[in-house]
Each structure stands twice: as structure tokens, then as C-alpha cells.
Amino acid sequence: MAATAGALILGALPRILRFERARDALLMGLGLAILANSRPYEGFLFSLPVAVVLLFWLFKKKGARWRESMWRVAAPLTLALVLAALASGFYFWRVTGNPFLMPQKLNRDTYAAAPYFVFQSPKPIRAYHHEALRYFYEVEEYAAYGNNHSIGGAAFLALVKALLLWIFFLGPALTLPLVMAIAILPRGWTWAGVSWETRFLILAGAIFFLGLALEVFLFAHYAAPATCLIFAMVLLAMRHLRHWQWRKKPMGLFIARAVPVICFSMLLLRVIAAAPIQSSLQLKSEWPETWYSAIPVKTGRANIEAQLNGIPGNHLVFVLYKPRAGYVYDWVHNEAEIDRSRIVWARDMGAAQNQELIDYFKDRHVWLADPAGEQPKITEYPAHSRATGE
């Protein structure tokens, strides 16, 4: 979603500057709305250069041309953003009780101690009721924050972040035209000789990735809004490379044609490796993440939920997290109307406190789920514990 939103914004910009159509402004507004609700910080970094260009273009106009641009571009863009803000504010209000408080912000204020940005100070350690929560927020996240506060640690993590993004978005195949395009730059090349479109992409990319360096935590998908920007730079490099000759041979044209062939071949190999047949070709990537990562964010909860949906009645599931069992994605999240949900998920808090929940959710089948291991399992909650609270 964030990559699509970035493409809508970047694709709409030159069309707005050239044609001044309301539909392009609405598409840009849609992209901005998606980024605001998917990757707010990274979306802001990506949108900032676009906003600067638009404002400069708009206020450079005078008289009737300015009024026309305001009506055909600024008005529909503003309308799209206002509608998105109202919808988002309504959602925030229904979830957090405050139309200006995002659920993610409330979550971090409630549980997290380590901040999102390297220039922020940590918050006091919270009192956690569950070991899994304490270990994640107090140990894992705090360690990542601490590593960013030494010169050596910050430099190492910056290198790791750059490597992670390079592996996911470029790799050797898409790096080749970028490197070659730089290598064949003519002598006397100056920044002023570059087209304004290319300069915009370079500056926008620099702002975006410098902004990412300020974040304590980084996964490849955080940079999703800039996907189109990265590919645009690769395509510009290939276009520049097409005219390069080496010993009067069109080597640049050969490389420009070879890159998409290589990419298609890699995609074909990935499809074959993922096919449900016995294959000696195994392409897996748990870490670092690549474009073909075979490990999506999935848990055994979906399988357990499917089993319970096949059993008549309502259910209450206690999830038992074993200390230091390795990182597992959280299973405990419920529908908005918890009391009316067919399946209610809760953390195991010991027999006595579990009994309070069992008494509240009467007439439900009670289960105990273990999310650890390759094959998570579910068993009936011990009848003795239910009866005695022990």
C-alpha cells in the first residue's frame, strides 16, 4: 500500500505541472491519504519535496493563471486531504477517544520505553504484567536504542540499514546500471547540467534516506514509499547508459537490455522455487529481507482459528508465552466488539486471574494455546484449574 501511494504521488506530480488536471490532484491526494495512514513519518519525508515543488510552482503564477491553478489543482487536492483527515480523525476518536491521537501513538505511550528516533530520550521503564511484553519492550527494543548512542554503534547500524535497503530494493542487478551511469559521466560534468527532474529525484531520495537514518528501528518495508523513486533512478540510469559505447561497440545498450532479462529470469526462478513440487532449487530468505522473502508475517493463530470456527459455540483462548522461547508474533488481538466475538484471545496470567476471565465469559469453551514451535497447538483448558482456580 505504501509503495502504491508513493507511486500515485510521484506519478501525479509531473502530470499536474504539465496538464493541471483535477483528476491528477485527486490521485495525489489519495496517495497522501494512504501514506498518512500506513507510514506517516516516512510518508512525510517522501511528500515534503513534492509539496515544496508544488508550492513553488503554484505561487510562481500570477493573476488569472494563479486562480485557475488554485481551482483545478489546489481545490481538489485540499478536498481529498480534508476528507481523509476527517475519516482518519473519526477512526482515531472511535479507537482512542481522541480524534488527534493515533492508535500507534497511544500504544507507544502505554508500553514502550525506547523512543522511535535517535535524538529522543528514553521513557521510564514500565511495569509489565506479562514477561513477553517486558522482554520485548525492555530488553529487545532498549538494546536497539542503546546501540544507536555510541559513535561506533551508530556507524555500524547505519551501514546495516544501508545494506538492508540495498539488498531489498536493488541487489546486484539493479545496482549495475546505477554504477555504470556514474562511471561514464563525461569530464567536466556539473550539477547544473543535470535535468531538474533528475536533480529532484536525487534530492528527494537524499532527504528520504537521511530521514530514515534518524529512526532507531528499521525494516525494509519502512522505505516502501520511495520504491517508485528508486526505480525511477534506475530507469534514468539505464536511459543514460543506452548511448554508451566501448571500442565502438554498443555496450551500454547491451547492459540496458540485459537488466530486465536478468530480473525476469530471477522472478522465474523464484516462481519455480515456490512451486508445490519437489525441487532441488530452494530460495529462502528469513534475514535479511529480500524482494522474494519466503517468510511472510504469519503465525499459527490462523490455523487455530480455523479449527475453532469448525467447533460449535463461542471460545475463550488463553495464549501461553514461554519465557525466552524466541521471538513470536503476538496472537492476542481481538475484534472491536470483544464481548460479541466468537473467539476471544487473552494472555495467560495464571490460574487465579484466568478464572476471573472464565467467569466473565460464561458458557464459552476454554482453550490453552502454545504459539511456540513449528506446529503451534491448542488444548482444552484444564478442568481442575477451571473448577478450583488453582
Side-chain angles (χ1 to χ4, degrees):
M1 292 299 293
T4 301
L8 287 174
I9 296 169
L10 193 63
L13 178 61
R15 292 171 171 83
I16 290 175
L17 301 183
R18 183 176 180 182
F19 303 112
E20 299 188 36
R21 294 182 300 210
R23 69 184 187 189
D24 296 323
L26 290 173
L27 287 174
M28 178 177 283
L30 176 62
L32 291 169
I34 295 174
L35 283 186
N37 287 277
S38 56
R39 301 231 58 86
Y41 172 68
E42 294 83 0
F44 171 77
L45 292 175
F46 180 81
S47 305
L48 185 60
V50 175
V52 171
V53 170
L54 270 182
L55 289 174
F56 181 78
W57 168 80
L58 185 62
F59 289 104
K60 190 172 62 173
K61 297 176 177 290
K62 302 294 182 182
R65 294 190 61 192
W66 180 83
R67 289 191 294 271
E68 183 180 4
S69 297
M70 289 291 291
W71 177 252
R72 298 178 63 177
V73 175
L77 179 58
T78 302
L79 175 63
L81 294 179
V82 168
L83 291 176
L86 290 174
S88 299
F90 178 77
Y91 173 74
F92 299 161
W93 170 63
R94 294 294 294 159
V95 176
T96 68
N98 184 340
F100 303 103
L101 179 59
M102 297 180 69
Q104 176 73 355
K105 181 66 166 56
L106 177 61
N107 172 270
R108 300 298 298 183
D109 290 343
T110 304
Y111 296 108
Y116 265 144
F117 301 103
V118 296
F119 54 82
Q120 292 178 311
S121 300
K123 298 178 181 178
I125 298 296
R126 315 290 178 161
Y128 301 104
H129 299 292
H130 307 280
E131 173 60 19
L133 288 178
R134 187 202 67 80
Y135 187 77
F136 177 77
Y137 287 109
E138 185 178 332
V139 178
E140 292 190 352
E141 283 202 346
Y142 228 88
Y145 172 76
N147 290 335
N148 276 279
H149 276 70
S150 66
I151 296 178
F156 175 75
L157 288 177
L159 180 63
V160 170
K161 291 176 182 179
L163 183 63
L164 173 66
L165 296 177
W166 174 79
I167 290 174
F168 187 87
F169 287 98
L170 291 171
L174 298 184
T175 302
L176 178 61
L178 290 173
V179 172
M180 289 301 300
I182 296 173
I184 65 173
L185 285 174
R187 292 183 178 179
W189 173 86
T190 62
W191 176 254
V194 181
S195 66
W196 82 265
E197 294 92 343
T198 302
R199 281 183 289 179
F200 170 78
L201 292 176
I202 293 174
L203 290 174
I207 292 172
F208 184 83
F209 291 106
L210 285 175
L212 290 187
L214 299 178
E215 294 187 270
V216 173
F217 316 107
L218 180 70
F219 292 91
H221 66 275
Y222 287 17
T227 302
C228 57
L229 190 151
I230 295 171
F231 290 162
M233 291 299 300
V234 172
L235 291 173
L236 284 174
M238 291 173 65
R239 186 171 70 178
H240 175 67
L241 189 60
R242 284 174 60 89
H243 306 289
W244 174 61
Q245 293 188 350
W246 185 65
R247 295 182 178 178
K248 297 184 179 181
K249 295 181 179 180
M251 295 301 297
L253 182 62
F254 172 78
I255 295 174
R257 289 176 174 175
V259 168
V261 174
I262 293 171
C263 292
F264 178 78
S265 301
M266 293 170 63
L267 178 62
L268 185 62
L269 288 173
R270 180 69 201 115
V271 172
I272 295 173
I277 59 175
Q278 188 66 29
S279 173
S280 59
L281 179 63
Q282 298 293 329
L283 296 177
K284 293 185 178 180
S285 176
E286 296 186 21
W287 189 264
E289 297 169 305
T290 67
W291 63 270
Y292 63 83
S293 287
I295 311 298
V297 178
K298 63 180 180 180
T299 72
R301 173 183 151 133
N303 295 330
I304 301 298
E305 200 165 34
Q307 294 179 36
L308 295 178
N309 282 327
I311 301 175
N314 296 328
H315 306 276
L316 171 61
V317 184
F318 289 105
V319 181
L320 176 61
Y321 290 102
K322 297 178 180 178
R324 309 295 195 280
Y327 182 78
V328 293
Y329 288 103
D330 199 354
W331 283 29
V332 182
H333 47 90
N334 291 286
E335 298 177 10
E337 297 288 345
I338 297 180
D339 288 1
R340 298 181 183 179
S341 302
R342 190 159 184 270
I343 304 174
V344 173
W345 300 82
R347 297 179 184 276
D348 178 77
M349 297 185 68
Q353 289 181 286
N354 288 353
Q355 189 63 41
E356 295 180 18
L357 207 56
I358 294 172
D359 293 339
Y360 179 83
F361 288 106
K362 296 179 179 179
D363 303 322
R364 284 181 179 261
H365 300 289
V366 187
W367 306 88
L368 189 64
D370 181 2
E374 292 292 330
Q375 297 294 332
K377 58 184 179 180
I378 188 172
T379 58
E380 287 193 44
Y381 195 80
H384 173 74
S385 298
R386 295 182 60 183
T388 64
E390 297 178 358

